[in-house]
Amino acid sequence: MRAQSLTLVAASAVLIAPTTLPAPTVPYAYRTRAEPAVHGEGGVRAADLLARVRDCTPVSRGRYRLDAGRPATIPVCELPGAVFWKADMDIDCDGRPTVRCNRGTDPQFSPTAAYEQSNGLRLDAAQLPYVVLPAPSPIWDHRAHGVGGGSVAAVVYRDRVQYAVVGDIGPSEVIGEASYATARRLGIPADPNGGGVRSGVTYIVFEHSRISAIEDHAAAVATGERLARRLVDGGRAAAQADDRRLPPRAAPDAPHTFR
């Protein structure tokens, strides 16, 4: 997680009391190349989702930065039943200490994330695909759109779609962050100390889509696939309706015959 995001400001978050835990005793060896990436999930194509986010109707009152000190250029946009933004991806490794995510692998590691599992355990960023929301602020308050911990998201990078949940809250002025597991499954370098990608990631979060057990990735995939299909089909229906409203095209002129 970014250094600024260690202080969380989210009234909707269920915070876990911070504790001081030693790094795991298992020797750390970062081997992203040896870990096969999952080439997307579900049947909705990345191209079909990206076609629905070509235009932006902003719902945020302002814009976000990709990192502290950079210009504020990223709006949060609205779709029927969803919000989305296009940004970079920084790696969030906060939560349960593991071989991949700990103080030795991530200088900014925190043993807590904004949300916890249904059984009270901390989230495992190395195993659970999740995304990070900016803390509520005058720029945008995700709670006003039915979005919060456990909400389902579709993360699109190049030709891959990865379903995830909202699992953490970050700085109030910065956007574009997801868990180690999200990055790895999208083929993005997942090293929490220097990994990620600088652009090209689209985050689509579905409104009122919270699943009961935030750690249940299968439920997130099933819900995400259903809502993504609805989003894509709705866009096609709207395009067809627009076509029906267009005036009929004039018949082409008959070819001229020279005599």
Side-chain angles (χ1 to χ4, degrees), residues 14 23 25-26 54 90 98 104 114 143 160 177 196 204 213 221 246-247:
V14 179
T25 57
V26 180
R54 288 175 182 165
D90 290 325
T98 63
R143 297 169 299 184
R160 300 181 185 178
E177 191 172 7
I204 304 170
V221 172
L246 292 175

Side-chain angles (χ1 to χ4, degrees), residues 56-65 72-79 82-86 134-142 144-145 172-173 175 207:
C56 173
T57 301
V59 293
S60 56
R61 297 181 179 179
R63 301 193 174 205
Y64 288 96
R65 307 175 192 276
T73 60
I74 309 299
V76 176
C77 312
E78 186 174 32
L79 286 169
V83 294
F84 75 91
W85 55 93
K86 300 179 181 180
S137 73
I139 300 175
W140 181 57
D141 187 342
H142 57 265
H145 294 269
S172 61
E173 297 182 354
I175 205 166
E207 299 174 346

Side-chain angles (χ1 to χ4, degrees), residues 107-129:
Q108 307 301 335
F109 175 78
S110 171
T112 61
Y115 303 101
E116 61 183 12
Q117 295 185 173
S118 59
N119 58 5
L121 296 179
R122 286 164 286 181
L123 300 185
D124 184 348
Q127 295 295 325
L128 180 67

Side-chain angles (χ1 to χ4, degrees), residues 44-111:
V44 178
R45 299 188 311 157
D48 291 335
L49 284 171
L50 292 177
R52 293 289 283 126
V53 299
R54 288 175 182 165
D55 301 319
C56 173
T57 301
V59 293
S60 56
R61 297 181 179 179
R63 301 193 174 205
Y64 288 96
R65 307 175 192 276
L66 294 178
D67 294 291
R70 295 184 64 179
T73 60
I74 309 299
V76 176
C77 312
E78 186 174 32
L79 286 169
V83 294
F84 75 91
W85 55 93
K86 300 179 181 180
D88 62 350
M89 181 181 286
D90 290 325
I91 308 303
D92 189 315
C93 235
D94 294 346
R96 189 186 315 170
T98 63
V99 174
R100 299 301 179 192
C101 293
N102 58 72
R103 288 194 178 94
T105 64
D106 181 3
Q108 307 301 335
F109 175 78
S110 171

